Amino acid sequence: MTAAIAGIGATEFSKDSGRSELALAAHAGLAAITDAGLRPSDVDGMVTFTMDANAETALARELGVPELTFFGRVPYGGGAACAVVAHAAMAVATGAASTVLCYRAFNERSGRRFGQVHTPDGVDNGWHYPMGLVTPAASVAMFARRYQHEYDVTSEDFGRVAVLDRRAAATNPNAWFHGRPITLADHQASRWIVEPLRLLDCCQETDGAVALVVTTVDRARDLPRHPVVIAAAAQGSAADQFTMHSYYRDDLTGLPELGLVGRALWAGSGIGPEDLSALVLYDHFTPFVLVQLEELGFCARGEARHLLADGTLELDGRLPLNPHGGQLGEAYVHGMNGITEAVRQLRGTAANQIRDAEHVLVTAGTGVPTSGLVLSR
Amino acid sequence: MTGIGEVLPELVIEVTPTFVISTALATRDFQDVHHDPELARERGSAGIFLNILTDTGLVSRFVTDWAGPDALVRRISLRLGVPCHAHETLRLTGRVTGHAVADGEDRWEVSVVGANSLGDHVTATVWVVRR
Amino acid sequence: MIEEAARELAARGESARRVARDPVNLPMIRNWTEAIGDDNPTYEHYAPPAMAQVWTMPGLAGQRPADDPLGAMVAVLDEAGYTSVVATDSEQTYHRYLSPGETVEVSSRLDGVTGPKRTALGEGWFVTTRSTWYVGDEPVAEMMFRVLKFRPSGVAGTAIRPAVSSDTEFFWAGTALGELRIQRCGGCGRLRHPPGPMCPSCRQTRPGYVVAAGEGTVYSYVVHHHPPVPGRAAPFVVALVELTEGVRMLAELVGVPPSEVHIGLEVRVGFSRVDGELTLPVWRRR
């Protein structure tokens, strides 16, 4: 790849930002541009999520970005996280733009909460919402129940993801749950949201924004920060794909769209699972973290629970997972804070720094058409 | 021989206005929503509807029709769902779902659902002793 | 304020006993068995246990006594704006059957008030009372009775409606008629759910449908607890069912306690009419 992440920025992560979503986007955008050692007038491209409420034009006006020669959006909720970087990388590789600002900003806790009941558009949703399957947690719980059934996986196996995330968040000052680790017993005592998911299987809700700047590797080398190279970026949508409800495939225990992303990442980067220094796996709900480990080839089907139980994925383990605390522990910014964590790890500036981090894998929202990145120092 | 899983014979009740009114009065329930269609509609209902004492009576009848005249009903626990208006057909189905010995008696737990065109009107659990 | 009133009413304990208007008697029993349609011959000798409450109903001219705890609590909640009421559940326990000639008395107490709860009907409080029927000093029957006093909300009972297109309207027309329809390709005959305009096997655009037998087994399921869902009382079960025709379909599973649901449970389709425009399929235990 010929593109790099040159700058990152974020707002504080809170439960009530007290500001508009546009104000959050502007704050994070300016922070990322400044971090890259650039000025707003250097930006000529923007990419965000289809779900983002802030128009590229509005953000450009606030930041004083004069001209945009490239702008685009990526659909499917959190599945867009790594894809916005992929689109930005393609734009700078083709010359459609030289410097692209990727952003995601929302008041997801104090404003529109994804976990509440909404009446969605779209014919596909008509097969699920009217029947009482009305929240993302419920959609994932349906997969999780079948996964438990086929592989003898327990609620405690899911809980170990939450415990791991919260342990890392406890020592990350930027995390909402800084200083507040949990035990497996806490997880087991937390109330049911949608069985088999408990409250502590579900990620938190956050007000906040994250932005990052993508440019060519050559240009990034002239900037003050050590560039983080986009070794590979990929999107994936698999056979008989639905958004959150791919219930009509033969197998309900995998995430084939993520398997597709994984294969593209290994092929595109020449880097394999064994070369990675750390993993940042999308963790809106714990069960899909297990399935991702399996889809990406870190273990066989149904075996991820052992990786979680044997310490491999801990901060001091062989392959640390979510060293920032993930979305369960740090913040839920639709996966974008996972990308900035990978950048910090590769710069050597993370709160829970992995020694000599060289390659970090990042994934985006699961259960939806998704995306992933391999970032390298 | 009674056993867990045994299915009770279905009971179908044509819920005529006469049925709603006669059962309400036989249970000494004189609330207007059980006999006066106009007032029931004024109160936001689609019409007159069955009262809860009748639901209890119907569930009892449904279970003893199966268990026999010597059976003793020890407990009726019921949860209400959609209303059962006049002109509905109420279909009671049930099955034996449990067994316990209490106070020296063999008690069978019967789970009952009374459903109409709107959905489940009453979901009940009955403890009955067969003799 | 509500909690305080509830504590105060609960602390009063049992109300004074109220004596039935009439002793247990055969004419009233026969009115009851005739209306209910219960021809159990034992009721020529004993009162139906389900009549326990009937003996002490206040009747047409009767009034609730001033110390009736449910009446007092309802007044407090009315005042606070929770003006609507719906009975949610009851549990009657019968210690023994009653014979004609016995006179029962009833006494009630407030067991508890919980809330405010967000329910499908609106925000409300659950009021639980317990009544005991006595003959002399012998308790003969007991009842737990719970009502929801609620403030009707704008979304009360508002069902979430499907977006219907010309590709999917056959399905919803079917549910309204009590038919579960599965799309069948007019070209290759492949069955498909959810349906769509072009057959992914043969690319023909001549979809028809078959009426499913309506039987299948649970492939996966969830038990919804939070957040509240309009038109439904949690916990409720939503199940993904593999139909005998080979397609999977999702609907609410009703009439089975969540603890009894399992993968492999055999179910049959039923139909739940929401209103004149929408009928949903539901699963019931086979």
Side-chain angles (χ1 to χ4, degrees):
Chain A
M1 264 295 206
T2 55
I5 296 174
I8 56 173
T11 62
E12 77 289 353
F13 303 134
S14 76
K15 301 299 174 192
D16 185 0
S17 73
R19 285 176 285 170
S20 70
E21 294 185 339
L22 183 57
L24 294 174
H27 178 106
L30 186 60
I33 294 164
T34 306
D35 180 63
L38 295 168
R39 288 173 306 173
S41 56
D42 296 317
V43 171
D44 57 0
M46 285 192 183
V47 197
T48 186
F49 295 47
T50 304
M51 279 183 81
D52 200 280
N54 303 293
E56 300 86 325
T57 48
L59 183 56
R61 286 197 308 269
E62 297 313 303
L63 290 171
V65 170
E67 294 176 328
L68 293 172
T69 60
F70 167 75
F71 33 90
R73 289 191 170 227
V74 184
Y76 310 117
C82 297
V84 296
V85 175
H87 286 215
M90 287 190 282
V92 301
T94 60
S98 68
T99 304
V100 179
L101 182 68
C102 303
Y103 64 93
R104 180 73 177 112
F106 56 25
N107 286 320
E108 199 279 324
R109 180 60 182 80
S110 66
R112 185 179 188 276
R113 302 170 64 183
F114 298 167
Q116 298 299 308
V117 180
H118 303 286
T119 302
D121 298 329
V123 171
D124 282 354
N125 287 318
W127 307 113
H128 311 106
Y129 280 74
M131 282 70 167
L133 197 81
V134 293
T135 59
S139 303
V140 172
M142 192 68 79
F143 287 99
R145 172 83 67 184
R146 187 72 201 183
Y147 180 74
Q148 286 188 316
H149 174 78
E150 292 201 14
Y151 295 114
D152 272 337
V153 170
T154 64
S155 169
E156 292 195 344
D157 294 323
F158 296 155
R160 289 192 179 89
V161 175
V163 172
L164 177 148
D165 271 343
R166 292 287 293 269
R167 188 149 50 218
T171 51
N172 170 9
N174 282 327
W176 177 258
F177 287 112
H178 178 234
R180 284 183 281 172
I182 57 167
T183 64
L184 200 53
D186 294 333
H187 172 271
Q188 288 295 297
S190 69
R191 64 177 175 156
W192 292 120
I193 298 299
V194 181
E195 289 177 59
L197 299 190
R198 300 177 182 280
L199 177 66
L200 291 175
D201 288 307
C202 307
C203 80
Q204 60 185 312
E205 302 169 294
T206 301
D207 283 10
V210 170
L212 44 91
V213 174
V214 173
T215 187
T216 60
V217 173
D218 285 346
R219 190 172 156 82
R221 292 220 167 92
D222 296 334
L223 295 171
R225 293 283 192 184
H226 184 82
V228 167
V229 175
I230 301 165
Q235 288 182 267
S237 170
D240 217 2
Q241 181 80 53
F242 280 71
T243 303
M244 298 302 283
H245 304 121
S246 299
Y247 295 158
Y248 310 96
R249 297 166 169 163
D250 288 345
D251 180 21
L252 229 60
T253 62
L255 290 166
E257 56 280 358
L258 188 81
L260 180 64
V261 166
R263 291 191 297 279
L265 292 177
W266 311 142
S269 64
I271 291 165
E274 65 286 352
D275 304 319
L276 295 167
S277 316
L279 302 178
V280 177
L281 299 184
Y282 197 94
D283 56 346
H284 51 357
F285 301 101
T286 57
F288 276 162
V289 173
L290 280 77
V291 181
Q292 287 180 80
L293 288 163
E294 295 163 12
E295 279 291 348
L296 292 166
F298 295 102
C299 60
R301 297 261 175 209
E303 301 290 318
R305 60 203 159 110
H306 303 309
L307 280 186
L308 280 155
D310 70 12
T312 301
L313 304 171
E314 298 293 333
L315 280 175
D316 56 0
R318 183 168 52 78
L319 185 59
L321 168 66
N322 294 347
H324 58 321
Q327 303 191 90
L328 287 150
E330 188 188 64
Y332 173 68
V333 196
H334 244 164
M336 289 288 274
N337 51 317
I339 304 174
T340 51
E341 168 65 8
V343 170
R344 282 189 298 266
Q345 289 291 346
L346 294 164
R347 286 178 174 177
T349 59
N352 297 314
Q353 182 63 46
I354 310 299
R355 191 185 306 188
D356 301 327
E358 270 191 69
H359 308 292
V360 179
L361 172 80
V362 189
T363 62
T366 44
V368 294
T370 188
S371 54
L373 295 171
V374 173
L375 301 180
S376 299
R377 190 163 57 182
Chain B
M1 196 56 206
T2 306
I4 291 176
E6 182 175 345
V7 175
L8 278 63
E10 188 176 72
L11 173 62
V12 178
I13 304 282
E14 293 304 333
V15 183
T16 61
T18 303
F19 185 80
V20 175
I21 295 165
S22 59
T23 51
L25 301 189
T27 53
R28 288 182 48 74
D29 184 341
F30 298 91
Q31 290 195 62
D32 51 34
V33 288
H34 304 309
H35 63 257
D36 188 326
E38 241 167 80
L39 285 175
R41 276 192 287 273
E42 254 174 52
R43 297 187 195 284
S45 281
I48 59 170
F49 54 90
L50 286 184
N51 71 342
I52 188 168
L53 284 85
T54 297
D55 290 321
T56 311
L58 285 174
V59 168
S60 163
R61 172 188 159 190
F62 173 66
V63 170
T64 55
D65 279 357
W66 160 78
D70 293 331
L72 295 174
V73 176
R74 288 306 188 199
R75 176 174 294 172
I76 299 176
S77 155
L78 55 88
R79 190 157 57 92
L80 295 172
V82 299
C84 190
H85 298 112
H87 304 295
E88 278 283 358
T89 300
L90 184 66
R91 202 172 288 275
L92 288 102
T93 55
R95 66 164 61 208
V96 179
T97 49
H99 174 258
V101 176
D103 299 334
E105 295 178 335
D106 260 338
R107 294 186 180 176
W108 294 97
E109 181 197 71
V110 182
S111 295
V112 180
V113 176
N116 61 28
S117 75
L118 298 176
D120 290 341
H121 164 61
V122 59
T123 309
T125 307
V126 180
W127 282 100
V128 63
V129 181
R130 285 189 98 170
R131 299 191 298 177
Chain C
M1 152 76 185
I2 289 168
E3 278 126 329
E4 207 173 298
R7 265 195 303 276
E8 197 257 321
L9 284 167
R12 285 187 200 172
E14 289 211 326
S15 62
R17 289 194 193 170
R18 190 154 46 81
V19 184
R21 186 190 65 177
D22 301 300
V24 173
N25 65 85
L26 201 53
M28 275 176 64
I29 292 172
R30 286 177 173 164
N31 280 345
W32 188 93
T33 56
E34 188 179 11
I36 298 284
D38 195 334
D39 56 10
N40 189 336
T42 213
Y43 300 149
E44 284 295 306
H45 311 288
Y46 298 99
M51 280 188 78
Q53 192 184 357
V54 174
W55 305 115
T56 52
M57 286 291 277
L60 184 55
Q63 300 252 321
R64 278 186 187 282
D67 70 343
D68 176 71
L70 182 58
M73 196 62 225
V74 160
V76 169
L77 288 163
D78 276 337
E79 186 105 330
Y82 300 92
T83 51
S84 296
V85 66
V86 60
T88 59
D89 45 329
S90 86
E91 181 170 291
Q92 297 192 345
T93 305
Y94 314 111
H95 298 310
R96 69 168 174 85
Y97 280 29
L98 300 172
S99 305
E102 294 190 286
T103 297
V104 295
E105 301 176 4
V106 67
S107 164
S108 301
R109 63 187 169 83
L110 184 69
D111 191 53
V113 177
T114 55
K117 304 260 191 200
R118 288 177 61 191
T119 75
L121 295 167
E123 187 185 88
W125 298 72
F126 288 96
V127 181
T128 307
T129 54
R130 288 187 187 272
S131 301
T132 307
W133 283 268
Y134 297 89
V135 171
D137 281 332
E138 179 197 5
V140 292
E142 288 171 46
M143 175 171 73
M144 178 280 292
F145 185 64
R146 187 173 294 132
V147 300
L148 171 66
K149 280 289 286 177
F150 64 99
R151 179 186 285 147
S153 77
V155 295
T158 307
I160 297 175
R161 285 169 190 282
V164 178
S165 78
S166 56
D167 302 325
T168 66
E169 61 188 0
F170 77 94
F171 179 89
W172 301 105
T175 58
L177 297 170
E179 288 184 358
L180 191 67
R181 296 174 175 177
I182 305 173
Q183 187 177 62
R184 182 176 180 279
C185 175
C188 68
R190 174 178 161 166
L191 297 181
R192 183 187 185 201
H193 183 87
M198 178 180 285
C199 174
S201 296
C202 72
R203 277 80 185 183
Q204 295 222 38
T205 51
R206 298 188 289 125
Y209 65 83
V210 295
V211 177
E215 296 190 344
T217 54
V218 171
Y219 186 79
S220 190
Y221 69 99
V222 304
V223 184
H224 186 104
H225 293 265
H226 292 285
V229 179
R232 287 188 168 81
F236 61 87
V237 178
V238 181
L240 181 64
V241 164
E242 207 147 67
L243 294 174
T244 51
E245 287 82 0
V247 300
R248 287 190 203 133
M249 199 178 282
L250 188 106
E252 186 173 351
L253 173 57
V254 299
V256 185
S259 61
E260 294 178 18
V261 181
H262 57 88
I263 287 174
L265 182 73
E266 298 193 323
V267 298
R268 173 180 291 121
V269 76
F271 296 93
S272 169
R273 188 172 172 276
V274 175
D275 53 36
E277 283 162 9
L278 178 62
T279 298
L280 294 172
V282 293
W283 310 121
R284 296 178 192 286
R285 176 151 51 188
R286 235 191 296 162

